Amino acid sequence: MNRFKHLYIYMLTSKVDYNSILAYLTSTINCNIESRGADALYRGLDKHSIAEMYASCRVKDIFNDINSNNTYVSEDVEYELSILNGAPSQQNIVYDGFRLQYLYSSMIDADESSLDNVHIIITDRLLATYNEEDMRYHLNTIVLGYPSIVSIEGIVEAPAKPRAFYTLYYYHISRGIEISVDEVKRIFKDAMLEHDDPRLTDVAKGYIMQALFYSMLNDAPFCDDKRCILYNAHWQDEVIEAQIRYGRLCAKHREMLDEFNKYNDRNHDVTH
């Protein structure tokens, strides 16, 4: 187990409650926690360079790996500049998660790059990663690694809506009965998440814990227990079940976290 000592959280979104997440982490994991904004990540890069970085990560064709054919145009950079200057972002613009992760990692101070330090970025950009098996991109809630990236938009868009949502919608369509997607969403509002959903903060906490366990284990942290916040949910109702209805670790992973916290307590006593 990697017993890291420092956690750096970069908040690049306003769609979750920053103070609630910090309070949760402070009460849950025993390490030094520092919350940072975008300026601490970009470290003096000018806005045009940052905009070019994001533009270079944009996925325009889900069947085309941008790492083998990476092109962007001036309009992409202008859009990214507008976002950096506070304009509202458009939904469904997708970024290559691994490429963005690589670019973020190059920004992290070398003095904070050891295994003692964990970096997690919370963003509202929609991420996807390319799968060589089916040769297409798939949306992600989280990209694990260095640093780990939690996508708030991905939490909404990546897991499929409840099966009954599709059944009801296509039942009406197949019979020529008019029904809008928004109407079906209202019916299933308790079993799915929306972009302005206040529950996103609690869900984000669970995905941050997945990133922390990845850093502890140096491996995929996912749990088979659907009631554990480390469960790798592929459906919206599974996300809600694990992260909101239960919202805690299973007994096995709770024990692992307790061991981590006790070790850091002992280490703190020795060094002081």
Side-chain angles (χ1 to χ4, degrees):
M1 179 184 287
N2 175 32
R3 295 175 172 89
F4 55 85
K5 299 178 178 65
H6 306 280
L7 167 61
Y8 301 97
I9 296 280
Y10 301 82
M11 301 295 292
L12 307 188
T13 177
S14 60
K15 295 183 179 180
V16 292
D17 187 331
Y18 152 91
N19 290 319
S20 178
I21 287 174
L22 279 186
Y24 169 78
L25 291 172
T26 301
S27 65
T28 302
I29 190 159
N30 188 5
C31 68
N32 297 315
I33 301 171
E34 182 178 330
S35 176
R36 295 173 166 179
D39 289 344
L41 178 63
Y42 300 144
R43 297 203 305 145
L45 275 177
D46 64 274
K47 285 187 177 180
H48 196 273
S49 297
I50 299 168
E52 285 187 324
M53 175 195 77
Y54 283 118
S56 75
C57 295
R58 286 177 64 168
V59 176
K60 297 182 179 180
D61 178 356
I62 65 169
F63 298 105
N64 179 25
D65 183 357
I66 67 168
N67 294 296
S68 61
N69 183 23
N70 182 26
T71 59
Y72 60 91
V73 295
S74 59
E75 287 82 358
D76 298 334
V77 178
E78 290 302 318
Y79 168 80
E80 297 299 339
L81 271 172
S82 72
I83 300 304
L84 293 171
N85 287 322
S89 59
Q90 300 173 22
Q91 290 182 11
N92 299 325
I93 291 181
V94 180
Y95 301 82
D96 185 298
F98 288 145
R99 180 172 178 79
L100 190 57
Q101 182 182 63
Y102 169 77
L103 293 171
Y104 281 155
S105 70
S106 68
M107 298 177 180
I108 293 172
D109 192 322
D111 293 337
E112 298 174 350
S113 62
S114 72
L115 290 176
D116 281 342
N117 304 282
V118 172
H119 298 263
I120 302 175
I121 296 170
I122 317 299
T123 181
D124 51 14
R125 295 178 189 271
L126 186 58
L127 307 181
T129 51
Y130 189 80
N131 187 311
E132 294 287 351
E133 292 184 5
D134 59 5
M135 300 179 68
R136 58 163 291 174
Y137 277 93
H138 295 271
L139 295 177
N140 300 106
T141 52
I142 186 170
V143 177
L144 296 167
Y146 176 80
S148 289
I149 312 172
V150 177
S151 169
I152 302 304
E153 289 294 291
I155 290 172
V156 176
E157 297 292 346
K161 296 174 177 59
R163 291 172 178 85
F165 174 96
Y166 300 104
T167 301
L168 180 63
Y169 180 71
Y170 289 113
Y171 172 86
H172 283 76
I173 295 299
S174 66
R175 284 159 176 75
I177 303 171
E178 188 173 329
I179 189 169
S180 70
V181 172
D182 287 340
E183 286 179 273
V184 184
K185 283 182 178 180
R186 282 193 289 272
I187 295 170
F188 291 96
K189 60 183 176 63
D190 294 331
M192 54 187 290
L193 296 161
E194 284 294 328
H195 293 280
D196 58 351
D197 201 312
R199 297 174 295 176
L200 286 171
T201 294
D202 286 335
V203 176
K205 294 172 186 176
Y207 282 98
I208 292 170
M209 289 303 294
Q210 291 182 13
L212 290 175
F213 267 84
Y214 174 84
S215 297
M216 286 182 206
L217 303 174
N218 295 312
D219 199 1
F222 302 123
C223 182
D224 292 331
D225 185 344
K226 290 187 175 184
R227 297 179 177 181
C228 178
I229 57 176
L230 303 187
Y231 181 70
N232 187 20
H234 291 86
W235 296 83
Q236 283 279 357
D237 46 355
E238 292 176 341
V239 173
I240 291 171
E241 179 85 357
Q243 306 297 346
I244 297 173
R245 292 202 183 101
Y246 289 90
R248 57 182 178 268
L249 294 165
C250 66
K252 180 181 80 171
H253 286 106
R254 180 72 246 181
E255 185 177 344
M256 292 173 65
L257 181 61
D258 288 344
E259 179 189 344
F260 174 92
N261 286 337
K262 287 175 184 176
Y263 177 88
N264 276 6
D265 265 339
R266 291 195 299 270
N267 190 59
H268 183 273
D269 291 340
V270 169
T271 55
H272 289 74

